Amino acid sequence: MVSLLSGLPVTDCVKLCHRVVDGLCGRDPPCRADYSSTWSLEEWLELLNSLTAFFRLAVGNNSSDEVVLAGLSGVGSSHAEAVLSVLRARRDEIRRALLDRTNSISSATLQDFDWQLKLALSSDKISSLHTPLLSLSLDVRENTALRPVTMEMNREELNTLISSLEAANKVVLQLK
């Protein structure tokens, strides 16, 4: 609930937002003790989580200033401008932190792939099947070892895989 920011003077709001971004980037996050007289523990956690999510989303979606301000409609205009100023100043730093976090999920990279299209005419349970199947072989490099991964998919599974890869590619292109 970013609307909780309204109870804070604008200069303190800017400091808090910078500290939230520090925490997002792997440095010291804001200290609860500094704001214990302003918010309860529950409100503090809610505010911290919503601000962090807001900064991630704004940078991840490459949101324009108008979209950011629309997302801050529950906050007074001076507080919204303060959050926006922090976002403008530290957008690149947040983007790098998000990319580093994403890259640290796995060190595996795709080296090569091969595919074959097969037509399954029957199975041990069904005498007449006539189902196209895609056999996909991936060579994945994890650290220095090359690991083969093979999977077989029907049409629906292939469509799901393609949709997922297109969505992932869109995210990667936005982060560049």
Side-chain angles (χ1 to χ4, degrees):
M1 280 279 261
V2 182
S3 61
L4 292 170
L5 283 175
S6 299
L8 199 61
V10 175
T11 54
D12 291 343
C13 176
V14 171
K15 290 177 190 174
L16 174 63
C17 288
H18 276 293
R19 293 294 306 273
V20 168
V21 172
D22 286 345
L24 183 62
C25 295
R27 292 186 293 280
D28 289 335
C31 183
R32 157 93 172 99
D34 296 340
Y35 301 95
S36 61
S37 63
T38 309
W39 298 294
S40 68
L41 177 61
E42 185 176 302
E43 290 172 330
W44 169 252
L45 292 173
E46 189 176 323
L47 177 64
L48 203 57
N49 288 335
S50 63
L51 273 174
T52 302
F54 183 80
F55 284 125
R56 281 184 183 150
L57 190 63
V59 172
N61 291 338
N62 201 20
S63 300
S64 66
D65 290 355
E66 294 80 25
V67 172
V68 170
L69 290 173
L72 294 168
S73 60
V75 180
S77 62
S78 57
H79 287 81
E81 285 294 332
V83 173
L84 181 61
S85 70
V86 172
L87 181 64
R88 283 183 191 142
R90 305 209 38 205
R91 185 180 294 267
D92 290 337
E93 190 178 351
I94 296 169
R95 182 179 310 284
R96 277 193 307 276
L98 293 176
L99 282 171
D100 289 345
R101 183 172 290 142
T102 301
N103 289 340
S104 69
I105 291 172
S106 175
S107 61
T109 57
L110 179 64
Q111 290 299 124
D112 196 13
F113 70 95
D114 191 20
W115 60 275
Q116 293 178 342
L117 187 59
K118 301 175 183 179
L119 183 63
L121 298 175
S122 64
S123 72
D124 59 345
K125 295 182 175 81
I126 301 173
S127 62
S128 179
L129 195 58
H130 298 287
T131 302
L133 297 172
L134 177 80
S135 178
L136 182 61
S137 299
L138 306 173
D139 292 330
V140 178
R141 182 168 305 280
E142 203 162 355
N143 299 325
T144 57
L146 195 62
R147 181 173 52 98
V149 176
T150 304
M151 58 188 89
E152 196 169 83
M153 296 173 268
N154 61 27
R155 183 174 299 191
E156 293 80 25
E157 293 167 329
L158 177 60
N159 286 338
T160 301
L161 175 66
I162 290 171
S163 297
S164 299
L165 291 173
E166 286 173 344
N169 186 47
K170 185 185 255 185
V171 170
V172 168
L173 291 175
Q174 286 178 349
L175 292 175
K176 286 186 177 181

